[in-house]
């Protein structure tokens, strides 16, 4: 895209979404020239993210313009609403015209349920790889998977790598490199446990237990 | 801290803050048992972050309880308000009793202006290292600097490393390792430009120009 073109990027917000899934790419996109970011939900009421922060959508499903990039993330609140017909219909509608159909983390499950990953390879959070495969998607274990116009990221923090990758595709490598510099994305994780392979089976099992406990209030509320 | 102790963590919100500075550690902290996170500003009115998202504080300077950890981030809106006497007074008051006085990115400038880094070593965003040094602080180029009870992170994405480090100090390595796994923090930056040393002088100069352009509306508004 050139500087003179307005690029419409839509980020779907929902209760219990993981804020870092969305804020990683959002921070990257906000550094791009001529990008307009839409934060989209059913209403403009505040939405509580899964780390407890209240955020305000600025666009509704109903009044959202045609997007160039549609993106949805994962979150602890996701399983409770991933069959929501309004969300899936919105994804389908935008997906029929968007240049790029994208997700971070468990957001790929929404895309799959909307039928947007049939015949595509997609990345997701390691904890839902089996669920994504069960939806007929070829699961990638890459941090960012590009399959034609489907661009999908792995879990949570992969959203930063994902955002920089999309920035580079939309506006070229130089601006993406500059944004990486401005975000000082020169990571030095304090531990070497960022993937299930590195963490080992015992830590994976314990982490999944914590995840279940965190997710239970959302599932109770939904049933 | 043990599971039975409530740990009060305060994140200062302000207009033009970098959302990723705060959301990185917030996402980490929200996975800790017994942590209560306060998002603090002068009022409970929505605050616009420097990537254009509206977020809602849940605590005011006035009604904020005594914090165990006080944290402030940086942002494009920061230079316009970093001498704000209310912010500095709040940091001083909480800093006099907090167990840990912390910052991410340019947030260290606020701490320095509040007199909380006198005689301490601190990390910051690479773009404000000279400004921090001019305030009499010994500047660290580490991604996370720990000097007694001052824990400071480098720019933006360093907040994730910073958050995991604090999680480990507060609750031990195992839970921090699990959170790193749940956040799939196994970074694979698409480029090798995450620090000024790696990016080189030309890209640094261009990135600083972009930064100035992004910051100008906030500075105009403040003057």
């Amino acid at each position: 895209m050139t500087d003179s073109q307005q690029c419409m990027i839509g980020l779907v917000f929902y209760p219990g979404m993981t804020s870092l899934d969305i804020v990683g790419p959002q921070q990257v996109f906000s550094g791009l020239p001529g990008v307009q970011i839409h934060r989209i939900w059913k209403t403009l009421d505040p939405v509580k993210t899964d780390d407890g922060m209240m955020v305000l959508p600025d666009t509704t499903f109903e009044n959202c313009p045609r997007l160039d990039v549609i993106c949805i993330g994962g979150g602890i609140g996701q399983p409770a609403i991933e069959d929501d017909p309004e969300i899936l219909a919105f994804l389908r509608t935008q997906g029929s015209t968007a240049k790029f159909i994208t997700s971070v983390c468990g957001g790929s499950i929404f895309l799959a349920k909307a039928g947007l990953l049939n015949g595509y390879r997609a990345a997701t959070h390691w904890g839902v790889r089996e669920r994504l495969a069960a939806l007929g998607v070829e699961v990638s274990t890459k941090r960012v998977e590009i399959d034609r116009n489907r661009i999908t990221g792995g879990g949570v923090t992969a959203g930063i790598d994902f955002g920089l990758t999309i920035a580079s595709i939309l506006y070229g490598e130089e601006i993406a490199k500059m944004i990486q510099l401005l975000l000082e994305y020169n990571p030095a994780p304090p531990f070497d446990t960022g993937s299930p392979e590195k963490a080992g089976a015992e830590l994976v099992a314990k982490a999944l237990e914590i995840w279940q406990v965190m997710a239970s209030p959302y599932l109770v509320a939904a049933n």
Side-chain angles (χ1 to χ4, degrees), chain A residues 62 81 101 104 167:
Chain A
E62 203 171 47
I81 57 162
I101 297 170
V104 176

Side-chain angles (χ1 to χ4, degrees), chain A residues 55-71:
Chain A
V55 294
L56 291 174
D58 51 33
T59 305
T60 62
F61 287 166
E62 203 171 47
N63 73 14
C64 186
R66 206 157 95 162
L67 300 168
D68 296 296
V69 180
I70 171 79
C71 178

